Every structure is written in C-alpha cells, then in structure tokens.
Amino acid sequence: KAHRLITINDLELAAAVLLFAAVCLAVLQNRHQNCSAWPVVQLFLDNVTAKKNINKGTAKSPAARALLRLLSYLAKGSPVSWNAEFIAGVENTESDYLSRHAHEFDTSPAETYSEFFQKISPQSVGYEIYQPTHNLLSAVFYALHNGSLPDRLVRRIRAPSTVDESILGTFVART
C-alpha cells in the first residue's frame, strides 16, 4: 500500500479529537465544580475544512472519516457535546504560537514541560497536562495513516457501552 501524506485538515481534526477527549476526562473527574449539566466544547479552528467536517459529521478524506468515527465513539454516552467555529489564523495566537515562533524554542529533550509551557504560555502556571492513553493515541495515529480504525476498536464502538477514564487518559502535573 502506497504511503500518502497526512493533510493539515486531518491533523487539525486529530487535535480536536484529543481536545475533546481531554474535556470529557475533565468532566468525568468533575475538575470544574461549576460545570454545566450539558457541557459543550467550543472548538475554535483555523482550518475551515476541519470545522466543516466536525459540524457536519462527515468528510471526504478517509482519515478524517476515521477520526470522526473516533470522535463519535468518545461522545457516545458522554455528557459533553461540541461545536466548532472558525477563527482566522492571525487571530489564533495561542494555539499557533509554537508553529509561528519555532526559532525561539530549544527543543532539546532536556527541556522540561514547565520550562516549555512557561515560554509559550506564562498564564498556564499551575495547569496540568493532558496525557492521552497509548490506546487513544494509537487509534488517532492509525486513523491518520490508514484512513480507518483498527477492527478491535470498531467492535468496541459498536458495543453499547460508554467511555470511561481508562480510555481517555490522565492529567499530570507539570514538573
């Protein structure tokens, strides 16, 4: 099977899937005491195609369709829903800071998360970092590279179950 390039549209959608998983985990763990009974993740995307795919629930790209299936699986039985809106790239300053200013960062492995996040987002002091499970990351990776989901995950998606914390990941303190 020939290798294909991963599009920026699919990568933006993959990031949205991981963000949704993080919010689901935060809601399940009741990390925000004043959370609505019907929480909605407001996704601001600077990619029109990814926004359209999320809001319509369909896509032309096989990888995007697989990621949307994964997003639907994560939403199944979750109190969290989503809405995607477009934000112009020039206004998307926080999310895109690293890609726009890569020359300012030391990307050596010795740099700690705290040092890194302090550079890109000083207001994030005290935040925890979402760490997806290896299974969730593997599913995203598989979707991006194969345009489908692994059979074992498809069977799980079809089963009448809800997503729990063990599927989503954990939050870790910045060190």
Side-chain angles (χ1 to χ4, degrees):
K1 183 170 160 178
H3 293 287
R4 62 177 184 81
L5 295 176
I6 299 171
T7 69
I8 190 64
N9 301 338
D10 295 341
L11 289 171
E12 187 93 9
L13 187 54
V17 168
L18 293 173
L19 173 64
F20 183 78
V23 172
C24 286
L25 180 62
V27 168
L28 283 173
Q29 293 179 346
N30 199 24
R31 288 179 167 269
H32 192 293
Q33 307 307 325
N34 298 323
C35 185
S36 165
W38 302 278
V40 177
V41 176
Q42 185 67 46
L43 300 166
F44 291 100
L45 306 169
D46 61 4
N47 184 292
V48 176
T49 302
K51 175 212 164 265
K52 179 186 67 113
N53 291 345
I54 289 172
N55 286 339
K56 287 191 168 202
T58 187
K60 292 180 182 176
S61 155
R65 285 195 304 270
L67 289 165
L68 288 169
R69 279 183 88 181
L70 184 56
L71 181 63
S72 296
Y73 168 65
L74 294 174
K76 183 172 72 171
S78 169
V80 182
S81 61
W82 65 81
N83 183 47
E85 288 191 29
F86 177 75
I87 181 172
V90 295
E91 296 174 19
N92 195 10
T93 55
E94 288 184 16
S95 296
D96 285 351
Y97 188 83
L98 179 60
S99 62
R100 297 186 198 287
H101 301 278
H103 61 280
E104 296 178 19
F105 298 99
D106 172 16
T107 56
S108 72
E111 184 174 43
T112 65
Y113 278 125
S114 289
E115 292 167 343
F116 175 74
F117 280 103
Q118 186 64 30
K119 286 180 187 176
I120 66 167
S121 185
Q123 71 273 19
S124 69
V125 171
Y127 286 12
E128 292 180 308
I129 298 169
Y130 170 63
Q131 183 176 336
T133 62
H134 68 277
N135 286 339
L136 180 55
L137 282 177
S138 293
V140 169
F141 182 83
Y142 195 95
L144 287 169
H145 285 277
N146 298 301
S148 64
L149 294 175
D151 290 340
R152 61 181 161 58
L153 182 57
V154 172
R155 285 191 298 277
R156 195 173 198 173
I157 289 171
R158 290 181 179 150
S161 64
T162 57
V163 174
D164 63 21
E165 293 178 31
S166 66
I167 293 169
L168 298 172
T170 188
F171 288 97
V172 295
R174 290 185 0 189
T175 57

